[in-house]
Amino acid sequence: MLILSIDTALDACAAAVLDTSAGGLIARESQAMKRGHAEALMPLIARVMKASGVAFAALDRVAATTGPGSFTGLRVGLSAARGIALAAGKPVVGVTTLTVFAAPIVSESSEHPVIAAIDARHDHVYFQVLGGDGSSLVKPKVAPIAEALDAARFGAPHLVGNAAKMIAERWPTDAPPPFKINQQAAPDIAWVAWLGAAVDPESSPARPYYLRAPDAKPPKSPLSEAAQPPAS
């Protein structure tokens, strides 16, 4: 299976082509960036596809991260993935950013729980907790950091994500310390591809995975305001 994977959810713009029959990536590129994904992504994908020697029509599917992450970045990556898949007549799938962060650790079948965490700002994090065998301990959610620290009850965790250090710095002193801390600005594009190859397109849609509403809201329409009755 040939998979084009795309990630623009956090502080990177990345793409890769996975050949599952060869057992690995045949081309990849990742650029660290906090903004500017819209301008960088399509030229980056073009370079990756050229380096892979694979035509878009030869792809079996396209995979992209769905969030949590930057609202603007997510839309850029998912729009590109859907557009490429539509033009190539191939399925497109989505995988969550938290799942991609946790996947390489869970794949090692560790005895330690895994906390994947992303900075949600305002002293909040997006997080989920998995057992070392991949079992779900806490479903993905957005919550104050203090609530994420309650996961100390599961034992010494493997922390991963761009909020890993943030959680480690506030880890309860009376709990077993984190087993390992993997601070990562963005998920590994290779795991976006591998998970994209494994999921079912019917149950893994390529649409934004929002755990909370956007901070910015569109202004009210003047027409709708005019239609409101005057205050009595």
Side-chain angles (χ1 to χ4, degrees):
M1 187 181 290
L2 292 169
I3 311 289
L4 169 63
S5 59
I6 297 169
D7 172 52
T8 55
L10 294 170
D11 292 347
C13 183
V17 176
L18 167 69
D19 183 349
T20 59
S21 64
L25 300 183
I26 54 176
R28 70 179 296 166
E29 183 176 338
S30 180
Q31 296 181 10
M33 62 177 64
K34 292 184 178 295
R35 53 184 60 87
H37 299 81
E39 296 78 16
L41 181 58
M42 293 310 295
L44 186 150
I45 290 174
R47 292 192 297 272
V48 168
M49 291 298 293
K50 182 177 181 180
S52 74
V54 173
F56 284 103
L59 294 170
D60 291 292
R61 64 174 59 169
V62 181
T65 44
T66 60
S70 159
F71 289 100
T72 301
L74 288 174
R75 289 189 178 94
V76 169
L78 288 169
S79 294
R82 289 195 293 252
I84 291 169
L86 180 63
K90 306 297 181 178
V92 56
V93 297
V95 293
T96 74
T97 320
L98 291 169
T99 300
V100 181
F101 272 134
I105 302 169
V106 171
S107 71
E108 298 172 355
S109 300
S110 170
E111 61 184 27
H112 297 274
V114 180
I115 302 178
I118 296 170
D119 186 3
R121 298 183 299 178
H122 310 303
D123 208 41
H124 282 61
V125 290
Y126 302 108
F127 79 100
Q128 75 177 121
V129 186
L130 300 170
D133 59 357
S135 59
S136 178
L137 299 177
V138 177
K139 293 182 179 180
K141 63 194 305 184
V142 58
I145 293 176
E147 184 173 332
L149 297 176
D150 288 342
R153 68 185 186 274
F154 298 117
H158 192 143
L159 302 176
V160 63
N162 73 1
K165 287 185 179 179
M166 187 185 306
I167 291 179
E169 289 169 355
R170 293 170 61 172
W171 196 251
T173 56
D174 59 349
F179 165 69
K180 195 170 183 180
I181 303 166
N182 280 69
Q183 178 74 15
Q184 294 179 312
D188 186 342
I189 191 62
W191 280 96
V192 177
W194 280 111
L195 290 171
V199 299
D200 180 353
E202 295 297 322
S203 59
S204 302
R207 59 171 180 255
Y209 182 68
Y210 293 147
L211 292 175
R212 72 178 180 191
D215 292 331
K217 296 182 179 179
K220 290 184 178 179
S221 166
L223 292 177
S224 64
E225 290 182 349
Q228 297 297 319
S232 56

